[in-house]
């Protein structure tokens, strides 16, 4: 689960969106200087309306001017034991508690958390009523740390996904899809170079979230694109359709079909491949488009990088 703290219309736009979603850049981090986690005794300091900075073992708390009306004691404490990580993740360093926790800060404070390396992962906040740490969006990231703005302090940590992950979706998966939309049959090949891939991400309930995308170039310079979002449980041989998206010429025009009514029946899933027949009715504005697809694809694990979400106006610049 990911939290936020605070239609494709052309081939170019679609390609740009897919490319942006499949890449991650780690910038230099001039502020969080990771120097290990030994000897991290708690620190505290009084910070007033003028603002100030507090640091501990690579963790940093920045209180901007005007965030508090009177001198207030702020603190950073390293947790003695490693927290339980979100599903499919492991700690990338210790968690830190920032105090006081029940104080509204406006402008919000800047919280930076150190991490041991830049492997795919993210910033998480301890949310007790949701059972522990929950991934949230970071505002900035580097190999040594993660940053975000918070109007209320709490406990934060850096986590990374278990095991290696590819850097992009390029070349992931294999197999074919045959789709019939409004009587027009189209064959897609996931192995074709470009924005074609078949990937999965495991879920806590034992199922896999599967995403298959495929695109064909057309002789007239146009293109056709199919995306299937599925939930698949190989152990039970069952699953469901989350969404079907179709972009291509139907009745002489381009349409974007979202899921209306649909059903899916699976074949053999024991070898990890996704074999299924899909019957659906795609809805695009006033159009109802009969849709049928057969898929036989091999999927590979991939997790999209977390988003970076920053305030439009940095604290203190209002």
């Amino acid at each position: 689960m990911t939290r936020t703290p605070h239609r494709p219309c052309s081939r170019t736009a679609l390609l740009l969106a897919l490319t942006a979603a499949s890449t991650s850049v780690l910038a230099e981090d001039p502020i969080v200087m990771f120097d290990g986690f030994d000897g991290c005794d708690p620190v505290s300091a009084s910070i007033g309306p003028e603002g100030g900075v507090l640091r501990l073992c690579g963790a940093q708390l920045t209180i901007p001017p005007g965030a508090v009306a009177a001198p207030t004691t702020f603190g950073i404490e390293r947790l003695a034991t490693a927290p339980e990580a979100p599903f499919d993740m492991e700690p990338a360093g210790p968690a830190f508690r920032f105090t006081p926790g029940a104080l509204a800060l406006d402008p919000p404070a800047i919280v930076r958390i150190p991490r041991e390396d830049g492997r795919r992962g993210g910033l998480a906040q301890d949310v007790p009523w949701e059972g522990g740490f929950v991934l949230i969006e970071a505002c900035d990231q580097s190999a040594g740390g993660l940053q975000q703005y918070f109007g209320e302090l709490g406990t934060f940590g850096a986590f990374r996904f278990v095991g290696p992950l590819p850097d992009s979706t390029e070349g992931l998966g294999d197999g074919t899809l045959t789709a019939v939309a409004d009587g027009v049959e189209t064959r897609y090949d996931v192995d074709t170079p470009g924005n074609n891939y078949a990937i999965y991400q495991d879920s806590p309930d034992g199922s896999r979230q599967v995403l298959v995308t495929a695109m064909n170039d057309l002789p007239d310079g146009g293109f056709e694109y199919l995306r299937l979002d599925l939930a698949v449980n190989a152990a039970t041989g069952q699953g469901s359709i989350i969404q079907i998206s179709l972009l291509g010429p139907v009745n002489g025009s381009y349409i974007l079909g979202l899921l209306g009514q649909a059903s899916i029946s699976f074949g053999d899933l024991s070898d990890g491949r996704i074999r299924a027949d899909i019957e659906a009715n795609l809805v695009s504005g006033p159009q109802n488009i009969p849709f049928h697809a057969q898929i036989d694809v091999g999927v590979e694990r991939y997790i999209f990088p977390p988003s970076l979400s920053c305030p439009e106006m940095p604290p203190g610049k209002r």
Side-chain angles (χ1 to χ4, degrees):
M1 179 178 180
T2 304
R3 288 192 159 199
T4 305
H6 275 311
R7 107 184 140 207
C9 58
S10 69
R11 179 180 183 182
T12 301
L14 179 64
L15 294 177
L16 287 174
L18 290 172
T19 301
S22 301
T23 58
S24 177
V25 177
L26 293 178
E28 290 293 328
D29 191 336
I31 299 179
V32 172
M33 304 302 294
F34 174 70
D35 53 4
F37 296 119
D38 293 331
C40 296
D41 295 330
V43 295
S44 63
S46 178
I47 298 177
E50 71 282 358
V53 177
L54 195 59
R55 298 184 179 94
L56 176 65
C57 291
Q60 179 170 294
L61 173 64
T62 302
I63 304 299
V68 292
T72 302
T73 299
F74 291 90
I76 306 177
E77 176 187 2
R78 172 194 168 182
L79 298 190
T81 58
E84 183 176 352
F87 174 75
D88 206 18
M89 303 192 80
E90 63 185 9
F96 293 84
R97 181 180 293 114
F98 294 75
T99 56
L103 177 68
L105 301 170
D106 186 21
I110 305 173
V111 171
R112 279 179 167 265
I113 296 295
R115 58 180 178 176
E116 297 167 343
D117 55 50
R119 280 172 46 190
R120 185 78 54 78
L123 178 64
Q125 181 177 12
D126 185 21
V127 184
W129 56 89
E130 293 196 8
F133 279 88
V134 175
L135 278 179
I136 58 178
E137 291 182 354
C139 172
D140 189 19
Q141 63 178 335
S142 73
L146 300 160
Q147 171 184 295
Q148 188 51 275
Y149 296 81
F150 293 96
E152 187 173 300
L153 302 179
T155 300
F156 305 91
F159 296 85
R160 60 191 172 213
F161 288 100
V162 176
L165 286 170
D167 291 330
S168 76
T169 57
E170 185 175 356
L172 297 185
D174 65 84
T176 58
L177 302 83
T178 301
V180 180
D182 207 23
V184 178
E185 181 175 311
T186 306
R187 185 178 185 277
Y188 299 89
D189 189 348
V190 176
D191 296 304
T192 302
N195 289 291
N196 301 324
Y197 54 85
I199 59 176
Y200 75 86
Q201 180 174 348
D202 288 322
S203 300
D205 63 2
S207 68
R208 285 184 167 177
Q209 303 300 307
V210 173
L211 170 59
V212 182
T213 72
M215 182 186 295
N216 290 330
D217 290 322
L218 300 177
D220 61 1
F223 69 98
E224 51 196 359
Y225 167 79
L226 176 63
R227 168 174 171 152
L228 302 175
D229 290 82
L230 311 173
V232 181
N233 192 321
T236 63
Q238 298 178 333
S240 60
I241 301 170
I242 300 172
Q243 182 170 296
I244 300 171
S245 298
L246 174 68
L247 185 62
V250 175
N251 292 331
S253 63
Y254 279 82
I255 62 97
L256 175 62
L258 302 180
L259 177 62
Q261 296 178 341
S263 64
I264 185 169
S265 58
F266 291 97
D268 180 21
L269 301 175
S270 62
D271 59 358
R273 295 186 69 82
I274 308 300
R275 300 177 178 88
D277 287 295
I278 296 173
E279 296 286 347
N281 180 50
L282 303 183
V283 178
S284 179
Q287 291 183 291
N288 288 274
I289 302 166
F291 176 87
H292 171 76
Q294 290 181 308
I295 64 173
D296 184 347
V297 296
V299 293
E300 297 183 59
R301 182 171 178 253
Y302 180 82
I303 299 173
F304 286 98
S307 300
L308 301 179
S309 176
C310 297
E312 293 183 4
M313 187 66 70
K317 301 294 184 181
R318 295 181 176 181

